Structure formats: C-alpha cells, structure tokens
Amino acid sequence: MMLHDRRQNVTANSISSAAMQVEQLIDIKKLLMPILHFKWRIFAFALLMTALTVFAVLSMTPIYKASSMLLIESEQAKAIKIDDVYGINSGQQEYYLTQFEIIKSRSIAERVFNDLDLINHPAFNQPPSLFEELKSQFNFIPQELTSVDSQMARDIAKHQMVDSFAQDISVSPIRKTQLVNISYESLDPALAAKVANAIGDTYIISQLEAKLGMTQKANVWLGGRLEDLRLNLNQSEAKLERFKVENGLIDVEGVTALDAKELERLSDEITVSRSRLAQAESFMAVVKRYGATDISRLESLPEVTAHQSVQNVKREVVLVERKVSELQQVYGPKHPKMIAAQAELSAVQQNLHKQISRLVQGIEDEAQTAAQNLRALESQFSQAKGAYQNLSTKDTDYQRLLREVDTNRQLFDSFLARQKETAVTGDFDSPVARFTDRAVVPLRPAKPNKKVIVILAFVASLGFAMILVLVLDALNDTIKTSDDIEKLLSQRSLGYIPKAKKGTSYQDINFAFYDPNLPLHAEAVRTIRTSMSLMAMGSDLHTIEVTSSNPNEGKTTTSMNLAFAYATMEKVLIIDADLRKSSLGLRFGLPTYQPGLANVLSGTESIEHCIVKEVKHNVDVMPAGAVPLNPQELLSLPNFAELLTELKTLYSKIIIDTPPVHAVSDALIITSQCDATVLVVKAAHTRSEAIKLTLAKLNQARAKVFGVVLNQFNTKDAQRYQGDYGYYQAYGAESVAKESTKLNKESTKA
C-alpha cells in the first residue's frame, strides 16, 4: 500500500512538473520582456527607417499607368468554316492562353515601339553609343575598335530599349471571362494611354495579317496540289477499267455472292448425304452382324420397326393372330375356318418377311446410292470451290483498285472544296478581338503609393526590430537574473549588487554601502551577508575568497561591500591577493608604496606594517604591496597558510580579493585555504559557458563555492522579470540604513 501511494505521489509530481514546464513554455510575458525593455529603441529605429523612407519616397519620380480592355472572340465570324486550314480551335481554353501570350510577345512590343517611333520620344533616355562609353571610360578610342559598325551599336541600343519597353507592359486576363487588361506604365501619362491602345490595335492587325497570309499560302498550296490529285484520280480510274476488261468482269460483287451461295448449298447437301450414308452403313453393319436370313432378329431392329410398310404388315399380322386366337376358342384345328385363318396368318407372316427382306435390300441400295451421291457432290464442291477462289482473288484486286479510285476521288473533292473556300474567304476580315474600353490619359500617378510605402516601411522596420531583439535575446546566454544562476549554472544565488546610476563617481560606487541615499544597495549587500551566514551555519566561516571569471566584473567592489556589511557586527580584514593587478589600496586612498601581502610573504615586512587600521569602522586593509616577479609561487608557499592562521586569531572575518580565474590560476591556489568562495558575475555581461568553466575549475581545486553574486544588476529591468526588487524601501529600509550610517559615523568619531 505504501509503495502504491509512493507511485501515486511520483506520478503526481511528474504531472505537476510537466504542467510547470508547459506553463514556462507558454510564458508570453517573459517572452515579450526584451521587447518591452527595448521598446523605445525599437520605436526610434522604426521612426528612423520611416523618416529615411519618407525622404526616399519624396525623391521618387511619379509613374502613370493606363489600361485598355480587349474582348477575345470565342466564335469568330466566318463566311465559310475553314478552321482546318488556319489550325484554330477557339473552343478550347488553350486558345485564350495562346492569345494572351501573343499579346505579351516581344514581336508585338517591338512593332508598337517602331510604329510610335518611341526611340525618339523624350520619355526614353538615349543610351550613349559604344564609342562614347569607351571614350568616357578610357578618354580614347582603341585602335582595334575604329572599324566597329555604328549601325550594330545602334541596333544593340535599340534592342535594349525594346526589352525595357516590353517589361513595362503588363497583360492580365480576367478570370472566367474572355476579357484581358492591357496596361503600360510610363513617366508620360499621354504616352501610357497611347501605348496601351496601340498594343491592342497592333495585336488585332497582326492577327488579321496572319490570317490573310495563311489564306493566301493555303490557296497557292491547294491550287498546286489539285493538279497532282486530278492526275492520280484519272490514272486510278483507267487502271480499274483495264482490269475489268481483261478479266471480263461486269458485276464482281454479284458473281461472288452467287458463288458463295452455291458453295453453301453444296456444303449443306454434302452434310445431308453424309448423314444418310452413315445411317445406312450403320444399319448394314447390324444386318451383317445378325445375318440377312435371321428375320426374327432383324425384325427387332429400331430401323426395321420404324419403317412404315413394316408397321402396316405388323398391324395385319396382329389382327390375323387375334382372329386365329378367337377362332381357336370356338373351333378345332381342323375346322375349315381355323384352317383358313391359319393359312391367312401364314400368308401375312410371309408378307412380313418379304417386306423386311425388301427393306434390307432397299437400305443396301440406298447406301450405295448415298455413297455415289456423296462422291458426286464432293467433286462438284471442289470444282465450285476452285472457281470461287479464283474469282475471290480477282475480287480482291478489283476492290484494291476500287479503293484507290475512291481515295483519290475523296482527296480531290476535299482539296477542291478547300481551295474554293479559301478563295472565297481570302478577303473576308474577321477580327479576333475588339476593344471594350480604350485607355484614357491617367490623371493621377499609379506609382509610388507614398502613404502605403511609408506605412509598410514603419510596420516592417518595427517588426524587424522586434524580431532582431528577440533573436539577440535568444542568442544572449549571459546571466541576467538570479533565476538564470539557478537554472543555467545550477548554483545558489547569494544576492545581487544594484547597478549604479549613470554619472556616479568611482568613489561613490566603492563606498555606496554607506550612502544614505542608496538604501537598496546597502540592504542588497546585507542580504548577501545573511545568505552566507545561513549557509555557514554549524561550520567555521573565517576566510572568504571573492573571485570572478573575467576582469572588470566587480569582484573588488563586492569584496569591499561584503567587508562593510560584516563590519557592522564584527572585526573584518580585507586582503588584496591580486598581486598582478592590485587596486584595493588605491580605492581606499592608500599610497602605492604601502607594504602589503607580497611583503609579508617574502619576509621583508612584518604583519603590523602591512595592515592599515580602520579604513572604515571595524575594517582593516592589507594591500597587495610591492608587485613580485613570481606571484603564483609566492602564494603557493606555506607562509600564506600560516599567515591566514595567524590572522584568524585577530579578525572574525577575512575577505580575500583574488584575481579572475580565467586570467591566472592564483585564485585556484588560494581557494583551498578559504572557508568559502564567492563567484562574482557581471549581470548581462558574462556568458554562461565561461562561468561554468570557472565553476568547474573551482570544483577541481576543491573550493567551497557558496554561491554567485550578481553585480551591476539593473533593478528596474528586474522588476519586469521577477517582481519588485525595491521592496526594501516599502518596509522602511531607507530609515534603517540612515540610522545605521549615523551610528557608524558616531563610532568613527569616538
């Protein structure tokens, strides 16, 4: 049961974590925070781009656009239908698409260009000649180009002008109609209307000319072909007549039909004769098997019993036998009537035997006759078949010659009809299109649409700036908030140090903890102190190392403020362990020759001479001292550990300001001698990968990293991300800070 509850809890936790992830993914407010942060810059960029667009639009030359509308005829007027000659199928959709492409063709544009003499129109800039370009570029004409044909240069220039002219022409068909708009753009409004109308007129004229040319060409070609077709027809007819005379044919189709019927009749008779012969032979086979004298057995055969004469005799036998049977019941065998009846019965039976014998003989004769008949029919069929095959061969030749005559006659008649049609319709002008609206001179320019361009420029620049801000923010992997410290670095956020206002002096930044006008700064430092004290609960916290990943991240300022915060409760010593680039002494106004840590470690000065007492209340300073030649080796000596052990007896807290980790490895040497290490990160400046590398080095050196302090943190921006960071003022932090500052000053004077 406990296991089941545990599984349910795990499932609930996973569902809640998944819900939190989904909620984080759809956090639109956080996604739009960069845009809100840079909103004034985005708006200024959009205004700048809009202003530049306004200047560019004002300098643009207005362009006028004129349009005409054509109706493409789907069913052209025709005197006679001769579409087969022209190859036009106006019932298909491809017909309209073809006409649209013809209107847009370069040939139409070039013809309009020449008809309107646009090469001399002032709206078209005359390009310099080839010689003028060479002369302007090289200030001379090369000797090898002195023989260049000037006409070729003019043709090239004209070709380029026609291409440019054709690009300004637009043809747009109206969907589901036969209408098409023809538009032209030009600096001259009158020229735009003239060109739009001229294109339609030129298209109509060119199509009429094409039809007339095709008609004339078809007429000439058809006339030439007619004579050849006439000769072919005459030759095929003469050949057919000769064939009929040579073979004595009158009606080949009738003769072949009769022969076919005769063959069919003979075939049927042969079939019947074969059937009779088969029946007779079958009966004779039975007779031979039974014997011709065995009348009683032959009498039982179906072929015998079925014969009419045998059936009649059998009926008489039956009657006589019935009569004899009746008489036997009345008379004795010697009675005259019985004797007469017996004689009559004997006579009838003999007659039956004779009929059966005659039937058998008749069937034998019938078999012989059937065999002779079959042979005669087969002979006759073979002769008729040979005659039919001979006639069929002639009929095949005859049909081939007849088809040739019919084909030549049809071709001749068709070409003769086409030739007459084209001759009749050669001068019939049926336009393929007509104007529904002619172009008029435009009163307002079509381009540029200045309002739309300016609006689009503003919207596009605004959108571009927003996207750029979002992209840069997505690519920015620096640490900006305390949440980034926990999520990206997996470290504790000890707190932050607020960013100073612009124009604040270097001295005010260093000692902002004591500034009564900056209560938020002092309270933020106290928060860092509290976080460290809570983390050190139950263990010693005497020596604190303060370092950073890169220079200029504020580690020295953080060391000073952390010392000031601890100094309100206990005695604190600040040690400048940055022996290569020391700055702590200068910030406290100490002279450069003041001895310090390097002097103590090298044994040239005592500890008392290297510590400056009470630079602030409860704050002593040990500067770096003279710059040594080998600072790393100096810090690695056992003297440094012994020095810290001795100083722990004099001070409750020792703050050690060390060099950046990425610059030198001095901080890695010192960290093993310290109870805690604090990593300072400059907000929105240091990349997360660099900080991760620093943490890896510190962990490798077995440092006790307490957490990260975010320096130069912009509290105004942070309010948008994580709520109100200025809550200290709301709870009277300002008055508390002033009272603390007053007490510090009084204690200093005492």
Side-chain angles (χ1 to χ4, degrees), residues 284 288 389 438 713:
M284 292 306 298
K288 289 180 181 180
Q389 288 178 348
R438 283 191 169 269
F713 184 67

Side-chain angles (χ1 to χ4, degrees), residues 349-392:
Q349 289 178 346
Q350 288 178 1
N351 187 21
L352 178 61
H353 293 167
K354 289 179 181 179
Q355 290 297 331
I356 292 174
S357 298
R358 290 175 183 177
L359 179 61
V360 172
Q361 185 63 37
I363 291 175
E364 290 180 357
D365 296 339
E366 185 180 356
Q368 294 176 359
T369 304
Q372 293 175 359
N373 233 355
L374 179 60
R375 288 193 293 271
L377 288 173
E378 289 178 348
S379 176
Q380 188 179 358
F381 182 79
S382 298
Q383 293 175 0
K385 184 177 179 182
Y388 180 78
Q389 288 178 348
N390 185 24
L391 188 58
S392 178

